[in-house]
Amino acid sequence: MIKWKDEYSLGIERIDEQHRQLFAIADKAYQVLKDDLCIDKYDQIVAIMDELKSYAVFHFRTEEEYMRSIGYKRYLSHKVSHADFIEQTNDIDLTNVDINQDNYLLKVLDFIVTWIDQHILGQDKLIVKSADDSLKTEKTRR
């Protein structure tokens, strides 16, 4: 089971909720992987990948709007990271899924979970730190 942990929380409810949904999508993939009764998982894998791509685009748009709203200085590099994720998911070759579906799912899961984990704990946490630093600077000017 792939679960959300409190350490991923940014304290920005809208973004945290969307991050939780990304974890829920990853957990769907995990549940499909663990389903030993299902022999052909191709359609489920394709549906999960489509959902991931679609939801990631939606989430990145929300996150990027937030970064612009606070004047986040690392906005462009963060946006590039989002674009790289979308490119990597678009480059996943679903024609190879039938060769070894479980192995394919493991690779996809590893990619998703590793990326989400590193992105939230690394880059996204910097957004909050920047916003907090801006508030502190604003208060000291008063």
Side-chain angles (χ1 to χ4, degrees):
M1 173 173 264
I2 297 171
K3 295 175 95 175
W4 170 267
K5 300 176 203 168
D6 288 338
E7 69 186 284
Y8 295 119
S9 180
L10 301 180
I12 305 163
E13 189 53 41
R14 179 174 45 150
I15 293 175
D16 286 341
E17 182 179 312
Q18 291 176 8
H19 285 163
R20 284 185 201 96
Q21 182 59 31
L22 289 170
F23 274 86
I25 294 168
D27 190 55
K28 280 183 195 178
Y30 178 78
Q31 296 306 322
V32 169
L33 176 66
K34 290 298 181 191
D35 185 355
D36 293 332
L37 299 176
C38 182
I39 297 168
D40 188 1
K41 301 175 182 179
Y42 180 84
D43 290 340
Q44 292 178 73
I45 294 168
V46 171
I48 289 166
M49 291 308 300
D50 287 345
E51 182 181 9
L52 174 66
K53 290 177 196 178
S54 173
Y55 198 81
V57 168
F58 165 74
H59 165 64
F60 293 159
R61 192 174 312 123
T62 300
E63 204 171 86
E64 290 165 11
E65 286 172 7
Y66 177 77
M67 287 186 285
R68 284 193 308 271
S69 77
I70 64 166
Y72 185 56
K73 290 178 175 43
R74 295 181 180 167
Y75 167 76
L76 289 177
S77 64
H78 200 112
K79 185 174 172 67
V80 167
S81 177
H82 289 167
D84 288 346
F85 178 87
I86 297 300
E87 184 177 330
Q88 286 178 299
T89 56
N90 285 334
D91 287 346
I92 292 173
D93 185 4
L94 292 173
T95 58
N96 292 326
V97 172
D98 275 334
I99 297 169
N100 186 339
Q101 293 178 353
D102 286 345
N103 189 46
Y104 184 84
L105 260 176
L106 274 172
K107 287 180 183 177
V108 168
L109 270 169
D110 183 55
F111 163 70
I112 294 169
V113 172
T114 300
W115 195 90
I116 291 172
D117 181 75
Q118 291 174 353
H119 186 77
I120 293 172
L121 294 178
Q123 292 182 306
D124 287 353
K125 288 283 186 171
L126 292 174
I127 298 169
V128 176
K129 183 179 180 329
S130 174
D132 290 345
D133 290 348
S134 294
L135 284 173
K136 289 175 188 171
T137 302
E138 183 72 24
K139 286 180 182 178
T140 58
R141 288 184 185 163
R142 291 181 187 171

